[in-house]
């Protein structure tokens, strides 16, 4: 059996429900031809259809001994997907978790979309995953009913058995597996899902994090834990400017370092960059220390290329100039220009948010082996299918000749959806003729990231004589992610759905425009993506309107959102809304849900009494990934007379939540990440190079800088599941900026806040 298979015992599952990590059996000895490592997702997961029994789909196999194998097709990076997905399937199937083995899926189209991104694992697959389990249950019940010569509807599957209550007969799943496996697989329309009330485990307030014990005991397998015989470690001196090339190099000094075995020139990257490696010079050695010393000894002269002109200070002015001119209109209601012209007062402001780097705790890493016309890759990837495609491309192989195995991820945030690091390992393994593990350092990670887009916005609000907003004009400029894959210099409707086109506004005149911005670095998905800066601009602007009117920001938020209602495309003033891939009929823009989270979070934070305790309070709310989130932050002066976040309240309406414990943890993490982004975040460029290099200058919030209390409120709901992983981040930044203003009187319109306050 492959290493790292999660075998769940009944005791461990029940103990886990009581918040203990003790007792989970996880991890088995490695096979001889597999990488060695510790426990975690299997480095080479056997397909569930291997062996006799029932295998109605790629996700479920019931063996004759009663073991139920469930495949998780999404990547685990701390969000608990390897707990949520298998438990959801097991609940629908009626499996006993003590008899369940969880395997990690390799990259393969048969599993559907495997890109663990966009807060979509449960949102997109909730019904599909239930049908996966229900199909197997239907076939087991049919086999039992045939054996007993009774009607299937008189039978029930639970506890790894099928029961016939009228005759008090029962058969185990294992006893039925082979007979069920010979039945035709029923069509989806012939399979009935259980009532939600029967999904007892996923409705529990706490599901155990099944990989938790291995993580906290150091047994979990991450990318850098894996080893193969004769393996070399590679580090790469990549061009400091994206698109740059090696002009000349001398490998002689590097080769003199003990342990260094080879120096290899990487293929140069060309536009569009996509998931190509950056290029540069790789040093292959017996260990990572020798490889890093060898890289430091390389004598390289770089041709920086066209992007060497990129300078953050200059580019900031270009972005602001762009939003001061008319852009492409994507949202239009009424006549904004006429309304602004007759407004009694116009409130306007410009906001700037810099590039953000992902900085997951585990930098990118990948292990590859190329032999016999085939390639195997082991990597902490969010998108094993994209990795498979890119590896096949760089090696000139068919995708069927490439296998990508997924390890645990030490954080991802969208960075590990990109396949460049896997392609590097595959290329070097072929060149070296031995397995190669490419290891990125923290500096590599920051210097060669797919950054979140830098952004500038200009917002104008026209107020009538009573202070009511009668006009809303929003312009935004940022180099879009599409620029990484083609010649694109302005956002599209798919980009502006994130916090511009899907904002519920009860304003009679609205216009939103996307403005031009040329990319000079690789732009990529980042946790919450464009919502981060759009929420910052809108959340800050509403607070500025409230201050201009001398009104309570909560009241102004609710007034601008308007009464509870769902909004049509005509109401929004848009021709179409991509809506995160969801149908508007299922996930409409719902002003009532946005109002509700604001009302709940201000109630729980005692917003009405905020002026009595000497703290500065800030409020913001946002819709993203079809989820509604509101945040209140309270800030205080610290002992150095600076500002510290003292307490946080976050309320999220994400529809039905499968794993409430993980959702709460995601919200707590969102608060910390949002504070890091807003207070300290920002990657700046000089001569096309990132000026920051490690946590000393690319800061994240430290323990004394995060709230002493974070209160999480999940709105109870029977609605369809929405996104969870990303929606908590966007409103944190504007809530923090508004809280700083409430405390200090200093309006923050540019991130990082710490620079605006103390520089």
């Amino acid at each position: 059996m492959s290493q790292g298979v999660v075998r769940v015992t009944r005791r461990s599952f029940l103990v886990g429900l009581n918040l203990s990590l003790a007792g989970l059996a996880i991890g088995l000895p490695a096979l001889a031809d597999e990488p060695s490592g510790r426990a975690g997702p299997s480095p080479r997961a056997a397909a569930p259809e291997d062996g006799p029994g029932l295998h109605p789909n790629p996700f479920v196999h019931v063996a004759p001994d009663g073991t139920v194998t469930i495949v998780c097709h999404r990547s685990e990076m701390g969000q608990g997907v390897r707990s949520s997905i298998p438990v959801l399937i097991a609940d629908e199937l009626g499996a006993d978790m003590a008899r369940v083995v969880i395997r990690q899926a390799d990259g393969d189209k048969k599993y559907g979309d495997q890109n663990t991104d966009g807060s979509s694992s449960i949102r997109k697959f909730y019904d599909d995953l239930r049908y996966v389990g229900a199909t197997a249950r239907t076939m087991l019940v049919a086999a039992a009913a045939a054996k007993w010569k009774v009607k299937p509807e008189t039978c029930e599957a639970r506890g790894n058995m099928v029961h016939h209550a009228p005759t008090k007969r029962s058969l185990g799943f294992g006893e039925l597996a082979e007979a069920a496996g010979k039945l035709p697989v029923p069509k989806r329309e012939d399979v009935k899902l259980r009532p939600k009330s029967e999904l007892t485990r996923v409705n529990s307030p706490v599901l155990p994090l099944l990989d938790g014990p291995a993580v906290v005991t150091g047994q979990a397998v991450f990318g850098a834990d894996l080893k193969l015989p004769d393996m070399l470690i590679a580090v790469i001196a990549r061009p400091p400017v994206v698109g740059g090339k090696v002009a000349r190099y001398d490998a002689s000094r590097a080769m003199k370092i003990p342990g260094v075995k080879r120096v290899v020139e990487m293929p140069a990257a060309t536009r569009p960059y996509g998931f190509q490696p950056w290029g540069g010079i790789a040093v292959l050695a017996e260990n990572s220390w020798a490889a890093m010393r060898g890289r430091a000894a390389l004598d390289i002269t770089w041709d920086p290329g066209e992007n060497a002109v990129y300078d953050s200070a200059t580019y900031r002015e270009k972005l602001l100039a762009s939003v001061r001119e008319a852009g492409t209109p994507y949202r239009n209601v009424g006549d904004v220009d006429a309304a602004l012209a007759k407004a009694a007062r116009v409130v306007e402001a410009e906001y700037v948010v810099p590039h953000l780097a992902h900085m997951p705790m585990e930098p990118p890493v990948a292990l590859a082996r190329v032999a016999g016309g085939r390639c195997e890759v082991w990597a902490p990837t969010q998108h094993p299918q994209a990795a498979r495609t890119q590896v096949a491309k760089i090696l000139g192989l068919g995708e069927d000749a490439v296998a990508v195995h997924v390890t645990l991820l030490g954080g991802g945030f969208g960075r590990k959806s990109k396949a460049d690091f896997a392609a590097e390992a595959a290329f070097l393994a072929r060149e070296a003729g031995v397995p190669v593990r490419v290891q990125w350092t923290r500096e590599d990670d920051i210097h060669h990231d797919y950054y979140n887009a830098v952004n500038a916005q200009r917002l104008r609000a026209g107020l009538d004589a009573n202070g009511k907003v009668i006009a809303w004009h929003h312009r935004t400029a940022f180099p879009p992610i599409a620029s990484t894959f083609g010649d694109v210099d302005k956002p599209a409707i798919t980009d502006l759905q994130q916090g511009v086109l899907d904002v519920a506004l009860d304003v009679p005149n609205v216009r939103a425009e996307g403005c031009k911005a040329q990319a000079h670095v690789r732009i990529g998905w980042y946790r919450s993506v464009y919502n981060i800066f759009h929420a910052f601009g809108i959340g800050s602007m509403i607070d500025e309107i409230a201050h201009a009117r001398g009104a309570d920001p909560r009241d102004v938020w609710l007034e601008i959102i308007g009464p509870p209602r769902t909004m049509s495309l005509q109401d929004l003033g848009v021709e179409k809304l991509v809506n995160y891939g969801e149908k508007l009929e299922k996930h409409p823009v719902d002003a009532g849900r946005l109002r509700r989270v604001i009302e709940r979070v201000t109630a729980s934070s005692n917003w009405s009494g905020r002026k009595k305790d000497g703290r500065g309070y800030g409020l913001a709310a946002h819709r993203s990934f079809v989820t509604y989130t509101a945040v209140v932050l309270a800030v205080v002066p610290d002992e150095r007379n600076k500002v510290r976040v003292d307490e946080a309240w976050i309320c999220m309406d994400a529809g039905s939540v499968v794993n409430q414990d993980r959702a709460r943890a995601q919200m707590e993490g969102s608060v910390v990440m949002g504070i890091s982004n807003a207070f300290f975040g920002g990657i700046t460029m000089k001569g096309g190079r990132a000026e920051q290099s490690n946590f000393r200058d690319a800061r994240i919030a430290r323990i004394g800088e995060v709230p002493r209390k974070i209160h999480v409120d999940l709105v109870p709901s029977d609605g369809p599941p929405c996104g969870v992983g990303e929606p908590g981040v966007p409103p944190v930044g504007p809530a923090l900026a508004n809280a700083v203003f409430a405390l200090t009187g200093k309006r923050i319109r540019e991130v990082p806040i710490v620079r605006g306050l103390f520089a």
Side-chain angles (χ1 to χ4, degrees):
M1 189 176 278
S2 296
Q3 169 205 337
V5 174
V6 177
R7 186 179 291 278
V8 185
T9 69
R10 181 181 288 105
R11 178 180 181 276
S12 69
F13 192 84
L14 293 174
V15 169
L17 287 173
N18 289 315
L19 296 176
S20 170
L21 295 175
L24 184 65
I26 191 168
L28 296 166
L31 296 177
D33 63 341
E34 290 182 344
S36 61
R38 299 185 288 273
S42 171
R44 191 182 67 185
E49 59 264 30
D50 290 351
L54 171 64
H55 37 81
N57 50 61
F59 295 87
V60 175
H61 175 232
V62 182
D65 67 356
T67 299
V68 178
T69 299
I70 297 178
V71 172
C72 181
H73 70 305
R74 310 287 273 190
S75 300
E76 178 62 65
M77 46 191 160
Q79 83 280 35
V81 74
R82 274 169 48 88
S83 303
S84 305
I85 284 177
V87 172
L88 180 60
I89 294 173
D91 250 15
E92 187 65 57
L93 172 58
D96 180 352
M97 288 302 296
R99 308 299 302 278
V100 170
V101 169
I102 300 168
R103 293 187 183 273
Q104 185 68 38
D106 288 345
D108 197 311
K109 293 178 181 177
K110 69 184 179 183
Y111 297 113
D113 179 11
Q114 289 182 265
N115 186 14
T116 312
D117 207 341
S119 298
S120 60
S121 293
I122 298 298
R123 171 168 62 89
K124 280 189 176 181
F125 296 102
Y126 180 76
D127 288 337
D128 292 337
L129 293 169
R130 291 187 64 189
Y131 275 106
V132 161
T135 299
R137 170 172 50 79
T138 300
M139 296 175 74
L140 289 164
V141 166
K147 186 176 182 68
W148 293 325
K149 295 181 172 55
V150 300
K151 293 182 179 180
E153 55 266 29
T154 65
C155 302
E156 178 189 9
R158 53 181 168 79
N160 241 62
M161 304 184 79
V162 177
H163 305 274
H164 186 244
T167 60
K168 298 182 179 179
R169 287 180 288 184
S170 299
L171 285 170
F173 281 4
E175 298 172 270
L176 297 166
E178 294 196 65
K182 295 175 183 177
L183 298 174
V185 178
K187 295 179 180 179
R188 181 164 172 148
E189 57 265 29
D190 296 327
V191 174
K192 290 185 66 175
L193 299 179
R194 293 180 184 271
K196 278 191 176 182
S197 60
E198 293 184 13
L199 301 178
T200 56
R201 286 183 287 251
V202 298
N203 285 331
S204 167
V206 179
L207 282 179
L209 184 61
L210 299 181
D211 292 302
V215 172
V216 299
T217 59
Q219 298 180 66
V221 171
F222 297 90
D225 294 322
L226 297 177
K227 298 178 181 179
L228 281 170
D230 303 318
M231 180 185 79
L232 295 177
I233 306 293
V235 297
I236 302 172
R238 299 172 184 84
V241 180
V242 66
K245 299 177 181 179
V246 176
R248 58 163 297 278
Y249 74 100
D250 182 356
S252 59
R253 286 192 298 166
M255 290 299 298
K256 293 176 182 178
I257 302 294
V260 172
K261 297 299 182 183
R262 291 196 62 175
V263 175
V264 178
E265 185 168 356
M266 302 291 294
T270 57
R271 284 185 180 273
Y273 302 121
F275 294 153
Q276 298 175 69
W278 271 60
I281 307 297
V283 176
L284 284 64
E286 294 174 343
N287 56 71
S288 57
W289 177 238
M292 287 189 283
R293 289 183 63 208
R295 179 174 67 173
L298 286 171
D299 181 14
I300 305 176
T301 301
W302 299 103
D303 174 2
E306 62 182 359
N307 290 315
V309 300
Y310 191 33
D311 178 274
S312 288
T314 303
Y315 193 76
R316 174 185 181 277
E317 297 309 312
K318 289 183 178 180
L319 283 179
L320 288 171
S322 183
V323 296
R324 290 166 186 164
E325 300 291 336
T328 302
Y330 288 104
R331 181 176 187 178
N332 196 59
V333 177
D335 189 335
V336 165
D337 293 331
L340 287 170
K342 70 176 184 180
R345 182 173 185 177
V346 175
V347 179
E348 58 184 299
E350 295 173 340
Y351 303 95
V352 177
V353 176
H355 289 299
L356 296 170
H358 296 81
M359 300 188 297
M361 193 55 62
E362 173 201 35
V365 59
L367 167 63
R369 173 172 59 193
V370 179
R374 298 187 60 80
C375 177
E376 282 189 283
V377 175
W378 294 262
T381 172
Q382 292 176 244
H383 198 344
Q385 292 165 334
R388 191 184 192 196
T389 299
Q390 187 64 40
V391 166
K393 183 177 181 180
I394 201 169
L395 296 181
L397 297 174
E399 288 193 27
D400 289 344
V402 177
V404 175
H405 313 298
V406 182
T407 68
L408 288 175
L409 283 67
F413 311 122
R415 171 59 180 97
K416 293 172 186 173
S417 287
K418 292 79 173 176
D420 53 326
F421 56 99
E424 289 175 336
F427 175 82
L428 290 171
R430 184 186 66 183
E431 296 300 299
V434 297
V436 172
R437 193 177 77 212
V438 169
Q439 180 63 62
W440 287 47
T441 65
R442 176 61 59 207
E443 288 78 8
D444 296 336
D445 171 47
I446 291 174
H447 289 158
H448 308 295
D449 199 2
Y450 289 78
Y451 304 104
N452 199 44
V454 58
N455 168 259
Q457 296 172 75
R458 184 173 187 240
L459 285 101
R460 293 190 293 163
L463 282 57
D464 66 14
N466 296 318
K468 183 176 176 59
V469 177
I470 58 171
W472 181 273
H473 188 200
H474 188 177
R475 287 181 184 155
T476 181
F478 54 93
I481 292 168
S483 64
T484 299
F485 303 95
D487 187 15
V488 180
D489 66 354
K490 65 179 180 180
I493 194 169
T494 51
D495 304 315
L496 297 188
Q497 71 162 350
Q498 296 189 21
V500 175
L501 306 184
D502 61 339
V503 179
L505 297 172
D506 187 26
V507 177
N509 303 283
V510 177
R511 187 164 73 237
E513 304 167 20
C515 304
K516 287 191 173 185
Q518 184 72 44
H520 295 285
V521 295
R522 299 187 302 186
I523 305 297
W525 307 282
Y526 179 94
R527 188 180 187 184
S528 296
V529 208
Y530 312 129
N531 286 293
I532 291 174
F533 44 73
H534 288 146
F536 182 75
I538 293 169
S540 298
M541 185 62 175
I542 292 176
D543 202 75
E544 296 209 37
I545 293 169
H547 179 69
R549 288 173 47 179
D552 186 324
R554 175 185 57 191
D555 297 341
V556 175
W557 269 98
L558 296 177
E559 179 186 294
I560 289 176
I561 293 168
R565 68 205 184 283
T566 58
M567 301 188 70
S568 66
L569 293 179
Q570 184 177 0
D571 294 333
L572 293 168
V574 299
E575 294 181 3
K576 65 177 181 178
L577 193 66
V578 181
N579 203 35
Y580 302 95
E582 300 287 354
K583 293 181 179 179
L584 271 175
E585 295 80 10
K586 183 178 181 181
H587 290 282
V589 176
D590 192 328
R593 292 175 72 184
L594 189 58
R595 289 181 63 94
R596 188 181 306 120
V597 292
I598 292 172
E599 290 166 346
R600 289 176 70 108
V601 81
T602 51
S604 62
S605 63
N606 190 27
W607 176 266
S608 297
R610 68 191 184 281
K611 296 181 180 179
K612 299 176 182 178
D613 67 5
R615 300 186 291 183
Y617 282 70
L619 165 68
H622 195 68
R623 177 190 191 264
S624 65
F625 303 93
V626 299
T627 288
Y628 301 80
T629 311
V631 171
V632 170
L633 295 181
V635 300
V636 295
D638 68 8
E639 63 277 2
R640 296 167 295 172
N641 203 31
K642 294 188 177 180
V643 173
R644 177 176 61 80
V645 184
D646 187 55
E647 199 165 0
W649 297 263
I650 183 166
C651 178
M652 179 179 72
D653 180 354
S656 296
V657 176
V658 167
N659 193 330
Q660 294 183 35
D661 180 63
R662 289 294 90 200
R664 291 178 181 278
Q666 291 274 34
M667 292 304 99
E668 292 167 348
S670 294
V671 169
V672 174
M673 190 170 189
I675 291 170
S676 296
N677 288 343
F679 229 126
F680 308 109
I683 299 298
T684 55
M685 300 289 167
K686 193 75 173 177
R689 306 182 182 206
E691 294 186 283
Q692 293 74 25
S693 61
N694 209 311
F695 290 130
R696 63 182 173 273
D697 49 11
R699 283 282 311 280
I700 60 174
R702 298 167 183 167
I703 193 166
E705 295 162 336
V706 300
R708 58 185 177 84
K709 291 183 180 178
I710 301 176
H711 309 271
V712 178
D713 174 23
L714 303 180
V715 177
S717 174
D718 291 325
C722 308
V724 170
E726 295 169 271
V729 176
V732 176
L736 179 54
N738 296 336
V740 168
F741 173 77
L743 182 70
T744 68
K746 189 165 187 177
R747 181 62 70 182
I748 302 296
R749 297 192 177 111
E750 186 164 356
V751 170
I753 292 172
V754 68
R755 187 167 59 203
L757 275 178
F758 310 126

